[in-house]
Amino acid sequence: MDVKSLIAKRVAMELKDGDVVNLGIGLPTLVSNFLPEGVNITLQGENGMLGLGPVKAPGDEDYEVTNAGGFPIESLPGSCYFDSATSFAIIRGGHVDVTVLGALQVDAKGNIASWMVPGKKVPGMGGAMDLVVGAKKVIVAMEHTVKGEPKILEECTYPLTAVGVVKQIITEMGVMDITGEGIVLREIAAGCTVESVQSATGAKLIIPKNLKVMQVD
Amino acid sequence: MNKLTTAEEAVKKVRDGDVLLVGGFLKGGSPETIIKALLETSSAKNLTVVSNDTGTTETNMIKVMQQGRVVKVLATYIGGNPVTGQMLIDDPESVILYPQGTLAEKIRCGGAGIAGFYTPVGVGTVVEKGKEKRVFEGREYLLETGLRGNVAFIKATIADKAGNCYMRGTSKNFNAIMARAADYVIAEARKIVEVGELDPELVTLPGIFVDALVQSEDVL
């Protein structure tokens, strides 16, 4: 299994039957491919939809039903549509159970930087700031490092998306919870050692006695 | 009152210096027929465009911007329009980025007679710069103000000649809220029907918010 699918599969195991979930563009979108049996979730799209289905095959040009990336999608039975103000009442109002998104940096205080790299072209934050502030649980799903450099730090250096909102980080190296004491390594991927995870991480990891091996079967 | 007109006639209402509220989410529900009329038949300049994203390289807003007629943009995501991206690089004051829910709520408030609101989104980020911060029940919030435009461009799936609009699927996006927050509202509809032919239960936007109705080139 490739790294992105592995991360997505482990994230999927965090979701509970009945959850309302918003998945960010890219790796997080893969999560819906790996839902455990018996877990049915409702996907929310910030452009105004609950009940997102798969992206349609190329050639189907119905731009009146799209995902937040602007791609035409199927709507699942029970889906519904609403305007952008209602969509963000759902998001900001705490009616989304889990949001899964990628990040440029995450730090030991749960701060996240995900929308701009200084000196590079700025795409804008879109709905990311609202999602991480409003969702009940924020999971960052990303590769552990970028070009060998840590993305998990004591303190973010890029402009923040929000302060103190990230609860969990899932990478190809493990599962980490952000607590009041710092980042706790809950699970470690097979083939990694505590030392190898720590050396790929820019923040001090707390290693609990009951550290588990990350299961992705 | 007959609201039916042409896009060319309707965009004559756009004046130099106007604030335009432009509906749509990337290509979804983008009022391309009206924007095209602005591009080809209007000379209004020094415009401020309020839009979720200012479209993509395939939509018409980028062409209006290439004519140098847009001096300011308020948006949430501009990754699809490289001209807006360049504006931001050339003059950081010319492109104001808002969290998407904040922009949507600013417009909703503008249309609903609400002066402002406190939101937790943006606290501790560059978004809080220059804004009043206030604590409610131990949590910090930013004051954001309502936003209105001179003219709104919106798109509907079906409209009756009284301006009642049905917006299908995710095309409601910013269309349904912007129409409530502008002095003059131009709606294009993919299909236009007689008064009485649109089921009142399906009206997304009451017709009183619409001033001019034009047939969309994107015919249903």
Side-chain angles (χ1 to χ4, degrees), chain A residues 46-49 61-70 81-85 88 92 115 121-127 129-130 133 159-163, chain B residues 25-28 76-79 82 88 97-102 105 108 119-121 123-127 139 157 168-174 177 190:
Chain A
E46 61 267 32
N47 57 321
M49 182 172 181
E61 302 278 288
D62 181 3
Y63 284 96
E64 287 183 339
V65 181
T66 74
N67 61 19
Y81 308 106
F82 30 83
D83 63 56
S84 295
F88 283 92
R92 204 191 303 101
W115 70 283
K121 210 160 169 188
V122 178
M125 66 288 280
M129 287 189 178
D130 312 83
V133 168
L160 296 180
T161 308
V163 173
Chain B
F25 192 105
L26 298 167
K27 279 168 78 173
T76 83
Y77 172 82
I78 57 171
L88 178 63
L97 292 168
Y98 289 99
Q100 201 166 96
T102 296
E105 190 65 11
R108 194 196 70 80
T119 174
V121 178
V123 169
T125 77
V126 295
V127 170
R139 190 179 189 192
T157 309
R168 181 176 155 264
T170 52
S171 76
K172 293 167 191 63
N173 56 55
F174 280 83
I177 52 175
R190 300 180 66 197

Side-chain angles (χ1 to χ4, degrees), chain B residues 17-33:
Chain B
D18 271 359
V19 174
L20 304 183
L21 307 185
V22 182
F25 192 105
L26 298 167
K27 279 168 78 173
S30 184
E32 291 300 307
T33 305

